[in-house]
Amino acid sequence: YGLIRSEWPTVASELYRVLKPGGSIQLCEHISEAKNAGPAWIRGLALLDEILTKRGLVPDCAFQIPDVLKKAGFVDVVAEKRYYPVGQAGGKIGKRAAEGISELFQNLVYTIKDEGMDHTKKEIEALMADAQKEWDGPECVEGVVWIICAKNRRRADEVTVNSAKNTNEVRLVQRNPESESRNVPSMR
């Protein structure tokens, strides 16, 4: 969610334009949802959504990206929800995820201040300390990420207009039979 709403269509069109014919993209977007989350982490996720929204970003962009990609010309668009562990019960990956989230919130203190929000550094630190206790409990807390795959529908033998030069120059791209698979790679 590093783009504002109005930037997504342009970015999707550019991804489509620069991707080789028949090529695929894979995007990974976090959303403010968690499995087995306690009250502190739920408040943390709500705060994150509030900050992103104030900055003009799109907290729920994972739900909108598939349609944006289709409008840009992508085909075989697939979105899949995945979970990742947060905290000690999740082993090394869970510990690293908890550290990363804590670092994110420590850095957000400055954004919160810049946006004129009524949260102090002490409040954020207390929120993260409470969330850490939840993450280190016996039940594994899981964050949510969406993996979105899409394919450029152009074939290598199609005529393409050279839009980089913004001219009417037309060029033929050689067909590569090995890259003509119609399936987006499985995410399972």
Side-chain angles (χ1 to χ4, degrees):
Y1 32 60
L3 300 171
I4 61 174
R5 187 176 308 279
S6 62
E7 293 172 330
W8 274 107
T10 303
V11 169
S13 294
E14 279 299 292
L15 286 169
Y16 186 84
R17 184 184 69 78
V18 301
L19 189 64
K20 75 177 185 173
S24 298
I25 62 167
Q26 183 177 23
L27 305 173
C28 177
E29 289 293 333
H30 292 267
I31 62 168
S32 295
E33 179 184 327
K35 204 170 167 183
N36 303 323
W41 186 223
I42 291 170
R43 285 194 320 272
L45 292 171
L47 176 60
L48 182 59
D49 275 359
E50 182 184 353
I51 293 166
L52 293 171
T53 302
K54 281 196 176 260
R55 303 282 298 187
L57 302 174
V58 188
D60 64 347
C61 66
F63 303 117
Q64 299 169 23
I65 291 172
D67 287 336
V68 172
L69 293 174
K70 288 175 188 174
K71 286 178 184 172
F74 284 95
V75 295
D76 300 333
V77 179
V78 177
E80 185 173 305
K81 186 179 192 177
R82 292 285 184 100
Y83 295 91
Y84 61 92
V86 180
Q88 285 187 9
K92 283 183 181 180
I93 294 172
K95 289 177 190 176
R96 182 60 195 124
E99 290 168 5
I101 293 167
S102 292
E103 289 171 17
L104 168 71
F105 273 86
Q106 289 169 12
N107 293 324
L108 285 176
V109 168
Y110 304 105
T111 301
I112 290 169
K113 187 177 178 183
D114 291 345
E115 293 298 328
M117 296 171 69
D118 296 327
H119 302 284
T120 65
K121 184 176 180 178
K122 281 187 177 183
E123 287 174 319
I124 301 299
E125 288 171 349
L127 177 63
M128 284 298 96
D130 290 345
Q132 187 69 50
K133 289 176 191 169
E134 293 171 2
W135 298 334
D136 290 341
E139 190 169 18
C140 186
V141 176
E142 294 178 301
V144 177
V145 65
W146 280 88
I147 308 295
I148 304 154
C149 294
K151 191 169 187 176
N152 183 316
R153 73 170 172 229
R154 294 179 295 160
R155 289 193 349 234
D157 62 345
E158 289 181 336
V159 176
T160 61
V161 176
N162 186 346
S163 60
K165 293 181 181 177
N166 201 17
T167 67
N168 290 329
E169 175 187 336
V170 176
R171 66 184 175 94
L172 218 33
V173 180
Q174 291 297 318
R175 178 182 226 162
N176 180 355
E178 293 175 8
S179 66
E180 291 192 10
S181 171
R182 292 309 237 171
N183 299 322
V184 172
S186 174
M187 295 183 298
R188 293 177 198 229

